[in-house]
Amino acid sequence: MTAAFVENGQSSDGRAWDYLPQTWRELDVPEDVPEGWRAEIDEGQIVLVPPPHAHDNGIAEAVQRRLYRGLPEGLGIYQTLGIHVAPLGKLYVPDLVVMPTELIAAADPETSDPMDASEALLVVEITSRGNAREDRTKKYRAYARAGVPMYLLIDRFDTRGPMVTLFTEPNEDGTYKHTDAVPFGKPMVVPSPFDVRLPTDEFPGPAV
C-alpha cells in the first residue's frame, strides 16, 4: 500500500471516531482524493489507498461474475463500498462486499456514510504488492471482530505462491475458526448462501 496519511484522526476533545467519518465524507471530492484512490480509516488516521492494479480489477470482475450465479434474491455485490468496523473504529473499502440490497436502498441519500461491516455476508480483498500484509493481518482481524461470516482473501503475493483463502466462522477475538486455501489453478468452493465453485485458473499472478 503506497498510502498517504492525511489526518491524525483526533478532534480537539479526543473523540477520534466522532471526527474521522466527517473528514472521510468531506474527502470524497475530486479536489481532495485523486480519481480512483480510496480513503480508509485505520489506526486513528485517514489513509489514501491508490487504485488497484488492472490485474486486481480483472480478478474482482471474475469473482463478481461467478458469485452472481448463486446470489440469493435480496443480496447485492458492491465495489468500493465503505464499511465501518464498529468494534475497532475502522473503515475499510474492500474490493467487493456482499450486502443486503434493502440496506443499500435505505442509505441516506444526502450523505456518504459507510455501511456497518456486521451486515456484510462476504468481503473480498485482493492483495497488491504494497497492501498484502494489511489484508492478511489487520483486515483479517477486523472482519472477524465485525462478525463478517466469510472473508475471501485473494493473495497474489503469498509466500507459498498465489493463493485463494476463504475464512469462515468469525470469533470475537478477531480470528476465524475455519480456513480453506487453494493455489491459483484450483477451484475454491464458496458455501451457502452462494454455493458456487470459483475457478482460479485464469487469475493472473503477481504483477511485474
Side-chain angles (χ1 to χ4, degrees):
M1 178 191 303
T2 305
F5 295 86
V6 297
E7 289 289 342
N8 64 12
Q10 197 75 12
S11 63
S12 59
D13 61 2
R15 293 178 299 175
W17 184 253
D18 291 344
Y19 173 69
L20 283 168
Q22 177 183 349
T23 306
W24 179 80
R25 287 190 294 269
E26 292 172 351
L27 281 170
D28 192 23
V29 293
E31 292 79 11
D32 291 329
V33 179
E35 184 176 356
W37 286 56
R38 297 177 290 183
E40 298 186 332
I41 298 176
D42 198 359
E43 305 297 338
Q45 295 180 312
I46 294 178
V47 184
L48 298 185
V49 183
H53 189 278
H55 287 173
D56 298 347
N57 282 321
I59 292 172
E61 191 277 332
V63 172
Q64 184 166 348
R65 181 159 28 92
R66 181 63 60 154
L67 287 176
Y68 269 127
R69 296 186 181 185
L71 195 68
E73 191 72 23
L75 296 179
I77 304 172
Y78 304 97
Q79 299 183 29
T80 65
L81 178 68
I83 56 173
H84 174 207
V85 182
L88 299 177
K90 297 178 183 287
L91 191 158
Y92 293 133
V93 185
D95 292 291
L96 296 173
V97 180
V98 176
M99 184 82 66
T101 54
E102 64 179 3
L103 296 179
I104 301 297
D108 187 344
E110 301 299 323
T111 69
S112 57
D113 288 340
M115 307 301 294
D116 192 330
S118 67
E119 301 288 354
L121 277 77
L122 170 69
V123 167
V124 180
E125 294 283 7
I126 302 165
T127 65
S128 65
R129 193 179 299 277
N131 73 2
R133 183 177 179 181
E134 285 80 2
D135 290 347
R136 298 169 192 151
T137 56
K138 288 183 180 181
K139 292 187 177 181
Y140 165 86
R141 292 191 293 269
Y143 296 144
R145 283 288 305 275
V148 176
M150 300 183 197
Y151 174 34
L152 184 65
L153 176 63
I154 301 174
D155 192 348
R156 297 191 293 129
F157 302 93
D158 192 297
T159 56
R160 300 167 293 177
M163 301 286 291
V164 178
T165 306
L166 180 65
F167 303 100
T168 56
E169 297 191 34
N171 292 308
E172 292 183 359
D173 65 357
T175 62
Y176 281 91
K177 293 180 182 178
H178 295 290
T179 302
D180 295 307
V182 298
F184 279 23
K186 293 188 177 181
M188 167 62 71
V189 176
V190 184
S192 179
F194 307 100
D195 295 318
V196 297
R197 289 172 63 87
L198 179 65
T200 68
D201 51 297
E202 295 185 358
F203 285 2
V208 177

